[in-house]
């Protein structure tokens, strides 16, 4: 694996590989790798000739009162972990390399970026859309891997690729979880032991919502209420939102329709740590097919 800090070098390596009729995969990350990141790398490695992982904590997607400075970092551990997955290029630019001066050009994806996390983080998806567009421009035509854990981000990226005709294939990868169901996240490192235990409420709420639908419930507000009630009952948790929306455009729904992919998505604060989680599901012939594992007995 080579580590590259410079845009011209990363672009040159990707161009060279494509000229030899080989394929390029990109896995954008902010580092502090866990099994979720490594699964994206592995999935990319299995399907492509050159795997590029970008490691960049993008300041423009953090709000002024958010955790940019505290965001966990481990560049050496990350480099070892990425090399262990057979990654070819770790693209780790500095902030000055990515933003030599304040950008006058930004990418705004409307509608799908407005609800859910967009309500409490109004500038977040603008920052994400802009940096992802820059990464796509640097790496060039490729297959880009994103986690479903950040489902709204995945929808925003799919939409910007479609609207701007970018030569990028976007692949969404299922959420990797701890044994007790907690979705892996770099921010889980903030949780003290009591909070870590309370944080399982997100997975429990998703599971209860899916079970309610399996029992025949089709009213989205009642499904939502089942999840919300569980979270509100957890003393260490503060519910920011839980919503049931359509998976392709994140539009709110009243009645769950057969054959349509939906997502139940939530943001919950555990102490000062903001966690998100979701499950996609489709109802067909009376049964609910959800992208949510049942747990192994502990
Ligand atoms: P981040 O470093 O948090 O920006 O995440 C980089 C990529 O890894 C994003 O596409 C995330 O959606 C994805 N990711 C983060 N956590 C998980 C997880 N638990 N399972 C699958 N993908 C994940």
């Amino acid at each position: 694996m080579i580590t590259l800090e410079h845009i011209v070098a990363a672009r040159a390596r990707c161009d060279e590989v494509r000229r030899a009729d080989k394929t390029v995969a990109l896995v954008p990350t902010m580092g502090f790798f866990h099994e979720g990141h490594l699964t994206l790398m592995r999935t990319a490695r299995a399907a492509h000739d050159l795997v590029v992982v970008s490691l960049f904590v993008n300041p423009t997607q953090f709000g002024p009162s958010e955790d940019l400075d505290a965001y966990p970092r481990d560049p050496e551990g990350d480099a070892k972990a990425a090399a262990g997955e057979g990654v070819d290029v770790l693209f780790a630019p500095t902030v000055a390399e990515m933003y030599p001066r304040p950008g006058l050009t930004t990418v705004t994806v409307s509608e799908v970026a407005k609800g859910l996390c967009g309500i409490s983080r109004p500038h977040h998806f603008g920052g994400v859309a802009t940096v992802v567009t820059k990464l796509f421009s640097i790496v060039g035509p490729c297959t880009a891997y994103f986690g479903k854990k950040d489902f709204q981000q995945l929808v925003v990226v799919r939409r910007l690729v479609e609207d701007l005709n970018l030569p990028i294939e976007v692949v969404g990868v299922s959420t990797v979880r701890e044994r007790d169901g907690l979705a892996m996240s770099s921010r889980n490192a903030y949780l003290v032991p009591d909070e870590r235990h309370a944080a399982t409420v997100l997975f429990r709420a998703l599971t209860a919502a899916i079970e309610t639908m399996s029992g025949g419930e089709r009213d989205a507000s009642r499904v939502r209420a089942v999840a919300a009630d569980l979270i509100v009952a957890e003393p260490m948790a503060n519910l920011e939102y839980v919503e049931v929306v359509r998976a392709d455009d994140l539009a709110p729904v009243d009645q769950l329709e057969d054959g349509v992919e939906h997502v139940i998505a939530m943001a919950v604060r555990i102490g000062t740590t903001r966690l998100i989680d979701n499950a996609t599901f489709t109802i067909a012939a009376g049964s609910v097919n959800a992208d949510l594992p049942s747990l192994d007995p502990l």
Side-chain angles (χ1 to χ4, degrees):
M1 187 181 81
I2 51 169
T3 300
L4 300 175
E5 278 188 18
H6 294 292
I7 290 169
V8 283
R11 178 176 279 146
R13 182 75 190 110
C14 295
D15 285 347
E16 185 188 1
V17 164
R18 272 187 303 266
R19 269 199 304 275
D21 272 343
K22 295 190 164 151
T23 63
V24 176
L26 170 65
V27 181
T29 81
M30 299 206 299
F32 208 67
F33 295 153
H34 51 65
E35 198 54 34
H37 297 112
L38 302 185
T39 300
L40 298 188
M41 294 176 204
R42 232 168 270 150
T43 311
R45 177 71 287 165
H48 296 280
D49 298 309
L50 185 83
V51 176
V52 180
V53 171
S54 64
L55 194 178
F56 181 61
V57 182
N58 174 39
T60 70
Q61 70 191 65
F62 289 77
S65 61
E66 293 181 357
D67 59 345
L68 173 61
D69 293 336
Y71 197 81
R73 295 166 207 242
D74 179 12
E76 283 164 21
D78 285 350
K80 279 200 194 110
E85 295 300 335
V87 167
D88 300 295
V89 176
L90 185 64
F91 174 53
T94 60
V95 173
E97 177 74 6
M98 288 296 275
Y99 301 106
R101 52 181 175 163
L104 300 181
T105 310
T106 54
V107 178
T108 306
V109 182
S110 56
E111 301 308 322
V112 294
K114 278 192 187 147
L116 309 178
C117 292
I119 294 170
S120 69
R121 308 187 76 191
H123 304 296
H124 173 67
F125 291 112
V128 169
T130 303
V131 80
V132 166
T133 304
K134 284 163 74 74
L135 292 169
F136 289 166
S137 154
I138 292 162
V139 169
C142 67
T143 303
Y145 291 81
F146 289 86
K148 290 190 190 174
K149 151 85 176 8
D150 300 278
F151 195 80
Q152 189 171 14
Q153 169 173 282
L154 175 62
V155 172
V156 165
V157 171
R158 280 194 194 287
R159 198 55 206 252
L160 88 83
V161 164
E162 181 185 327
D163 290 350
L164 300 180
N165 306 101
L166 301 182
I168 308 289
E169 186 196 355
V170 177
V171 174
V173 176
S174 290
T175 300
V176 179
R177 298 176 180 279
E178 304 284 357
R179 282 199 68 192
D180 63 4
L182 177 66
M184 290 196 186
S185 164
S186 305
R187 290 191 169 98
N188 293 349
Y190 296 145
L191 301 169
V192 300
D194 279 358
E195 293 173 340
R196 171 64 187 79
H197 183 70
T200 59
V201 74
L202 285 86
F203 178 77
R204 287 187 276 119
L206 291 174
T207 302
I210 301 292
E211 276 169 5
T212 306
M213 291 184 269
S214 298
E217 185 61 75
R218 296 292 178 266
D219 179 330
S221 66
R222 286 210 284 269
V223 171
R224 186 201 160 278
V226 166
D229 287 352
L230 259 172
I231 296 161
V232 170
E234 166 53 59
M236 299 191 87
N238 249 308
L239 177 61
E240 187 183 298
Y241 72 79
V242 50
E243 301 289 348
V244 179
V245 296
R246 272 197 327 225
D248 67 338
D249 60 3
L250 307 182
V253 287
D254 295 328
Q255 282 295 118
L256 300 171
E257 258 178 75
D258 268 30
V260 176
E261 192 183 25
H262 296 88
V263 60
I264 176 165
M266 58 181 63
V268 178
R269 268 180 206 282
I270 306 285
T272 56
T273 305
R274 183 176 179 279
L275 300 178
I276 57 171
D277 202 350
N278 70 80
T280 52
F281 61 91
T282 308
I283 303 175
S287 75
V288 182
N289 182 6
D291 190 1
L292 193 70
S294 31
L295 297 183
D296 298 335
L298 288 176

